């Protein structure tokens, strides 16, 4: 049986170990608390991309509804294309007519070139005839009246040649320095066809980005105007968090510091990792519709908060999707304070652009080329034969 002294020593050792552990844990907690900042006032944010029409029309079909996932370029709304098809057919016919009329202008230049050569030959012949008659005049073989007639013929030939030159110059003025595909009349008709073709293609309204459809307001049979929001698409793979820290917490926050976040949706077992990409330029109250006017006698200090933007890891969002507006618990590791409190540049994120409309002009140009080739009168569509001569 242990003696009282041994019991006292054992209890003293146990109490000492427990006390030392508590002190160590307290110091660790204080140290970690001094090197981090946290807030519960944090919310998931993201891009809400509106789907709008670039042309007016009547809705005849809705291909996507709220909660549907869409890819870039997928048709989500269809408009009645009848009016656009009629305008396109008119523009197509106008380009074909302009092409054929311009072809005739080039052919008329060739015809007038030949006529100038003919008039020049007539003048040369009349001049030679007059010279022969003048040689025979001294012998009396040719009368003076016949010589006068020959001189009139030469004058008429000169006048005819001048008229042919003027007609040629007038016709050449319409085609100088051009070919069939870049003639002003053809280019004007081609521009109208491009406009009509693109307007027809835009009766199919596509999703500009990948994401989830929300806020669908368009209905079948509704007549819409350009620019009206029909629905929205939210890319759930490019979300971020706006954590609103108190002004007293901003001293050690820097761009580039790592953050750990949790959401009530998945609980503390799922952690998200992010990085501070910037601190907002002002408090929420400063940018409100009616900012506070503090230059009054009854002033009470209210601690302000600054939104801090935290970028999330796309891979983690893919495994555990979030939604805009969800609350988050954000904790920032502030040990590394070498960064800046102001962003040094702009964020170049591909999620802020769309390539859905890149092909519009290319497809319209291809259609213009097809119409010109169908009306230029050449087998292979080569218009070099109509170049100005």
């Amino acid at each position: 049986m242990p003696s009282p002294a041994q019991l006292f020593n054992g209890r003293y050792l146990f109490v000492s170990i427990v006390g030392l552990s508590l002190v160590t844990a307290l110091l660790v907690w204080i140290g970690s608390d001094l090197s981090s900042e946290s807030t519960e006032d944090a919310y998931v944010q993201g891009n809400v991309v509106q789907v709008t029409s670039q042309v007016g029309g009547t809705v005849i079909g809705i291909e996507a509804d709220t909660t549907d996932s869409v890819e870039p370029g997928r048709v989500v709304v269809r408009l009645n294309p009848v009016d656009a098809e009629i305008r396109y057919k008119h523009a197509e016919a106008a380009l074909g007519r302009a092409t054929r009329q311009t072809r005739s202008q080039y052919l008329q230049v060739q015809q007038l070139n030949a006529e100038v050569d003919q008039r020049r030959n007539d003048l040369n012949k009349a001049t030679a005839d007059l010279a022969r008659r003048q040689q025979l005049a001294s012998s009396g073989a040719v009368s003076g009246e016949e010589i006068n007639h020959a001189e009139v013929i030469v004058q008429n030939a000169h006048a005819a040649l001048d008229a042919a030159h003027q007609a040629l110059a007038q016709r050449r003025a319409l085609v100088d320095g051009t070919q069939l595909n870049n003639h002003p009349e053809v280019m004007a008709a081609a521009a109208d066809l491009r406009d009509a073709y693109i307007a027809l293609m835009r009766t199919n309204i596509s999703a500009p980005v990948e994401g989830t459809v929300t806020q669908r307001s368009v209905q079948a049979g509704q007549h819409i105007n350009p620019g009206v929001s029909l629905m929205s698409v939210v890319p759930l793979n490019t979300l971020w968090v706006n954590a609103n820290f108190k002004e007293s917490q901003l001293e050690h926050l820097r761009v580039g510091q790592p953050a750990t976040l949790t959401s009530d949706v998945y609980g503390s077992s799922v952690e998200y990792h992010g990085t501070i990409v910037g601190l907002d330029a002002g408090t929420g109250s400063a940018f409100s519709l009616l900012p506070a006017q503090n230059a009054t006698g009854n002033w009470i200090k209210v601690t302000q908060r600054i939104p801090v933007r935290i970028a999330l890891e796309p891979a983690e969002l893919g495994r555990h999707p979030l939604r805009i507006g969800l609350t988050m618990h954000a904790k920032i590791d502030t040990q590394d304070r070498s960064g800046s409190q102001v962003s040094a540049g702009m964020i170049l994120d591909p999620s802020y652009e769309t390539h859905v409309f890149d092909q519009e002009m290319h497809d319209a140009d291809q259609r213009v080329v097809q119409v010109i080739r169908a009306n230029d009168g050449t087998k292979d569509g080569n218009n070099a034969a109509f170049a100005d001569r």
Side-chain angles (χ1 to χ4, degrees), residues 262-316:
T262 57
S263 170
D264 290 342
V265 174
Y266 302 104
S268 59
S269 61
V270 175
E271 286 189 347
Y272 296 87
H273 299 87
T275 305
I276 294 180
V277 295
L279 284 71
D280 210 334
T283 65
S285 61
F287 296 128
S288 64
L289 182 61
L290 296 174
Q293 298 295 329
N294 295 325
T296 62
N298 299 322
W299 175 76
I300 299 175
K301 180 177 179 179
V302 178
T303 301
Q304 300 297 309
R305 291 178 179 267
I306 294 287
V308 176
R309 179 165 174 156
I310 302 173
L312 300 175
E313 294 291 339
E316 295 178 346

Side-chain angles (χ1 to χ4, degrees), residues 78-240:
R78 291 183 291 109
L79 303 181
N80 185 1
V82 173
D83 293 339
E85 287 177 350
I86 293 174
R87 287 194 295 271
Y88 171 74
K89 292 298 182 182
H90 277 296
E92 187 179 43
L95 177 58
R97 181 170 58 252
T99 302
R100 292 175 180 269
Q101 290 175 347
T102 305
R103 278 177 55 200
S104 70
Q105 293 177 4
Y106 288 108
L107 294 173
Q108 287 171 6
V109 169
Q110 297 176 8
Q111 177 184 353
L112 289 174
N113 275 323
E115 186 173 344
V116 167
D117 293 338
Q118 180 182 356
R119 297 307 178 189
R120 186 179 294 110
N121 293 334
D122 291 343
L123 177 59
N124 293 335
K125 180 179 179 298
T127 302
D129 290 344
L130 176 60
R132 285 194 301 271
R133 285 172 172 77
Q134 287 174 341
Q135 291 175 358
L136 297 173
S138 58
S139 64
V142 177
S143 65
E145 183 180 1
E146 189 174 351
I147 292 176
N148 290 336
H149 288 168
E151 290 175 346
V152 171
I153 292 174
V154 171
Q155 293 173 0
N156 291 339
H158 268 296
L161 179 59
D162 290 340
H165 274 298
Q166 292 297 328
L168 176 61
Q170 182 181 10
R171 189 57 60 183
R172 285 172 66 90
L174 298 176
V175 297
D176 270 344
T178 66
Q179 293 185 352
L180 184 59
N181 57 357
N182 64 2
H183 189 277
E185 293 183 6
V186 175
M187 291 179 66
D192 291 340
L193 180 60
R194 290 187 183 94
D195 183 57
Y197 180 85
I198 292 175
L200 176 59
M201 293 299 100
R202 287 176 176 175
T203 57
N204 289 327
I205 304 171
S206 302
V209 295
E210 177 184 2
T212 300
V213 176
T214 183
Q215 296 178 325
R216 180 182 71 82
S217 59
V218 65
Q219 299 293 337
Q222 177 182 354
H223 182 82
I224 62 173
N225 295 318
V228 176
S229 178
L230 308 178
M231 61 183 68
S232 298
V233 178
V234 178
L236 295 181
N237 58 344
T238 56
L239 300 178
W240 65 88

